[in-house]
Amino acid sequence: MEKKLTNGAIDFIDDKLFHNLINNTKEDLPKIREILAKSKTKQALTLDETATLLAIKSPEAREELFDTAKELKRSIYGNRIVLFAPLYIGNYCINNCKYCGFRSSLTKAVRKTLTEKEIIANVSQLEKEGHKRLILVYGEHPKYTPEFIAENVKTCYGVKEGNGEIRRININAAPLDVGGFKTVKESGIGTFQVFQESYHKETYAQYHPGPGIKSDYMWRLNAMDRAFEAGIDDVGIGALFGLYDWRFEVLGLVQHSIYLQDKYGVGPHTISFPRIKPASGMALNLPYEVSDQEFKQLVAILRLAVPYTGLIMTARESKEVRDAVIEFGVSQIDAGTRLELGGYQEKRKEDQDLDREQFKVGDSRELDAVIQWLLSRGFLPSFCTSCYRLGRTGEHFMEYAIPGFIGRFCTPNAMLTLAEYLEDYSSEATKKAGYALIEEELALIKNSNKREDLSTKLKKIKEGKRDLLY
Ligand code: SAM
Ligand code: SF4
């Protein structure tokens, strides 16, 4: 299925095959049930099996899909949800993606690159709110060299505000060459994300007309190969939903995951599935807009198709949609999100100025409100960065598949990082709800030695110790 092109690029997206699967797979309840049963054993799905789930139309099959996704999410990820904040560093851009508020043809866009001082001020503010994990976001511009990105990463890690510190930094920036990825990796990043936007080549060409290198579909499609070659084993992929048929994009994401897993022994660390939101001067008439129902279905299908890949639902979605979808497979969300460059330093504005921001945010709640909501739903908010800091990345991250991994590491670390948050940053109401959930979780630990050990660590946090981890 893979095609090596004359310039050495590898095309693993077979449009014809995807269209065949979409057009010729009809809803088949017995087959769907077989696949759902296989999913319960935490095995990844093939493209054919994914296509069978994409063909689901009846409410009956849909409910069974949702129930299975919910169950699988709980059994692999427990009830924890990892929290992070995006920090936009610069919005200069040479590309002209038709849907983006940073596109080069948008002359009224207010362009800015944060200075070192502004980065420090924004990170301090994020730390004061309780954040421990950031994703740095960039337009594509010669200013944003790998060295520049690496320097920004070091600056962010260096900011210590009270008990606060940033313990993991991910990147969402233009795809780099191998040397560039190496430089950024050496600065100590977690995941490097590049979204393909659309896996469908004609659609890709239509929305990325150039100028700018983003018009080169293959350069982007092979970005993660270059990242792996550079030694980055935590990569994040994604598709921008609304450009083309959502079922094609899901097949693209699953095929991309299978390709990386087969070739490098590691699938993507995360998958993102942003839906297009209004942006400045955007007169987009989206023939493939994804409804809320389809959105929920695509998240559930991704959960089953790539059980060990984290799924990120961003604040592009409204709080209502996040509430309705989170339990079907999401493992990470951003919170307290501000897109305006330097926006964390300022008082939150009532309305967004789209000439200064990439797109309209759907969920603008502060971090504490998001944590309260998660707790009220029985989710365990987590700021854990333990795996990455203890070298459990890439292939080792697949230890996730080992029985007991969640119980040994993820849930206790979520409890410890939540306790830090409750001690240092939370409102009284959140503190009460947070400790109530921690107590419930403690009571669920059957092994008394483990329970004791965790209780001791929690006590130490109350006494002022920080950064205790498993
Ligand atoms: N400039 C880099 C690039 O294009 O890869 C960094 C990423 S861009 C700042 C982050 C992502 O935002 C894009 O990959 C795209 O999927 C998404 N995005 C752009 N415009 C959007 C819109 N109007 N609504 C929702 N997401 C959007
Ligand atoms: Fe630039 Fe990225 Fe926006 Fe495209 S999506 S215009 S590359 S910032």
Side-chain angles (χ1 to χ4, degrees), residues 61-264:
R62 210 173 261 144
E63 282 317 306
E64 290 183 30
L65 165 71
F66 292 150
D67 285 347
T68 314
K70 205 152 85 175
E71 202 182 310
L72 191 72
K73 178 196 168 340
R74 285 265 163 178
S75 68
I76 294 189
Y77 293 88
N79 59 347
R80 76 195 208 295
I81 299 283
V82 171
L83 293 161
F84 68 93
L87 175 61
Y88 278 70
I89 301 284
N91 67 348
Y92 282 87
C93 196
I94 50 167
N95 295 319
N96 205 13
C97 313
K98 286 186 179 168
Y99 44 77
C100 180
F102 295 165
R103 65 194 182 277
S104 56
S105 63
L106 193 71
T107 46
K108 64 179 178 159
V110 182
R111 309 275 169 186
K112 186 173 169 64
T113 304
L114 298 189
T115 61
E116 191 185 1
K117 215 167 138 203
E118 287 168 328
I119 293 177
I120 294 171
N122 278 273
V123 175
S124 295
Q125 182 54 34
L126 284 159
E127 288 180 3
K128 279 186 204 154
E129 288 167 21
H131 282 288
K132 298 279 187 282
R133 303 169 62 109
L134 297 183
I135 180 153
L136 306 187
V137 188
Y138 299 79
E140 180 157 6
H141 195 273
K143 286 172 190 270
Y144 308 141
T145 59
E147 291 72 21
F148 177 76
I149 295 175
E151 206 44 52
N152 297 162
V153 171
K154 286 183 202 145
T155 302
C156 295
Y157 279 135
V159 179
K160 310 274 177 204
E161 184 66 50
N163 281 337
E165 60 181 350
I166 298 303
R167 297 176 183 159
R168 178 177 174 126
I169 295 174
N170 300 332
I171 303 290
N172 187 320
L176 303 173
D177 59 18
V178 176
F181 276 124
K182 274 193 186 143
T183 303
V184 175
K185 180 192 160 55
E186 278 157 19
S187 67
I189 61 157
T191 313
F192 200 109
Q193 291 184 345
V194 175
F195 304 160
Q196 184 59 30
E197 320 298 13
S198 176
Y199 283 93
H200 183 243
K201 297 180 181 78
E202 271 170 44
T203 302
Y204 188 90
Q206 184 192 334
Y207 283 96
H208 308 98
I213 192 173
K214 190 147 172 188
S215 56
D216 186 341
Y217 175 98
M218 286 310 305
W219 174 251
R220 205 164 176 90
L221 190 67
N222 287 169
M224 293 324 184
D225 296 75
R226 298 192 297 278
F228 273 106
E229 206 181 310
I232 297 181
D233 55 6
D234 262 6
V235 301
I237 62 173
L240 184 57
F241 281 86
L243 300 179
Y244 190 56
D245 186 338
W246 64 276
R247 292 164 299 177
F248 191 100
E249 306 299 7
V250 170
L251 289 175
L253 290 167
V254 172
Q255 173 57 27
H256 201 162
S257 305
I258 294 173
Y259 165 79
L260 293 175
Q261 174 75 48
D262 287 352
K263 192 154 179 192
Y264 303 101

